[in-house]
Amino acid sequence: MLLLQLDATGTDPLIALGVLVLSVLSVALSLTIAVVLVRGYRRGPSHRGMLWLAVGLIFLITIPELLRVGLPTATDIGAVGRSILVSGCELFGLGTILWIVCGGGIR
């Protein structure tokens, strides 16, 4: 039997595992929605806004979640640098979605 060993700094390991599970779930759901949007885009050239919505969604949810987990794990970037990168991705995603909703990408 293989036992999963968890070591969390500053919190209970079960809370850390719960946060990780929720993060994986949000990435999976956002990618699922992005795939549905890309399929809608591929149905015809008049649905270009769906492609931009998928891009905005990925920059709003998927990339920031991956940065929150991946940067401290794989790099030596501090909390401030990580926060700037995550916030920049989220703002780009929100801006892209706002641009589409306001009619910027529809022709």
Side-chain angles (χ1 to χ4, degrees):
M1 182 168 92
L2 180 66
L3 295 176
L4 180 64
Q5 294 183 0
L6 296 175
D7 185 27
T9 304
T11 189
D12 183 28
L14 289 178
I15 292 174
L17 181 62
V19 169
L20 186 61
V21 167
L22 290 174
S23 182
V24 168
L25 183 62
S26 68
V27 167
L29 287 174
S30 68
L31 287 176
T32 302
I33 295 169
V35 166
V36 170
L37 289 170
V38 168
R39 284 183 184 161
Y41 164 73
R42 294 181 73 190
R43 286 189 186 137
S46 63
H47 300 289
R48 184 169 287 177
M50 288 188 170
L51 180 64
W52 286 109
L53 280 174
V55 168
L57 180 71
I58 287 172
F59 273 95
L60 181 62
I61 298 172
T62 307
I63 293 176
E65 285 297 324
L66 294 175
L67 288 175
R68 282 186 189 102
V69 174
L71 284 178
T73 303
T75 67
D76 214 9
I77 294 177
V80 174
R82 184 174 64 240
S83 179
I84 290 171
L85 286 172
V86 167
S87 295
C89 283
E90 290 173 338
L91 285 174
F92 180 77
L94 284 171
T96 304
I97 292 170
L98 182 63
W99 176 62
I100 288 301
V101 169
C102 291
I106 300 173
R107 294 181 191 181

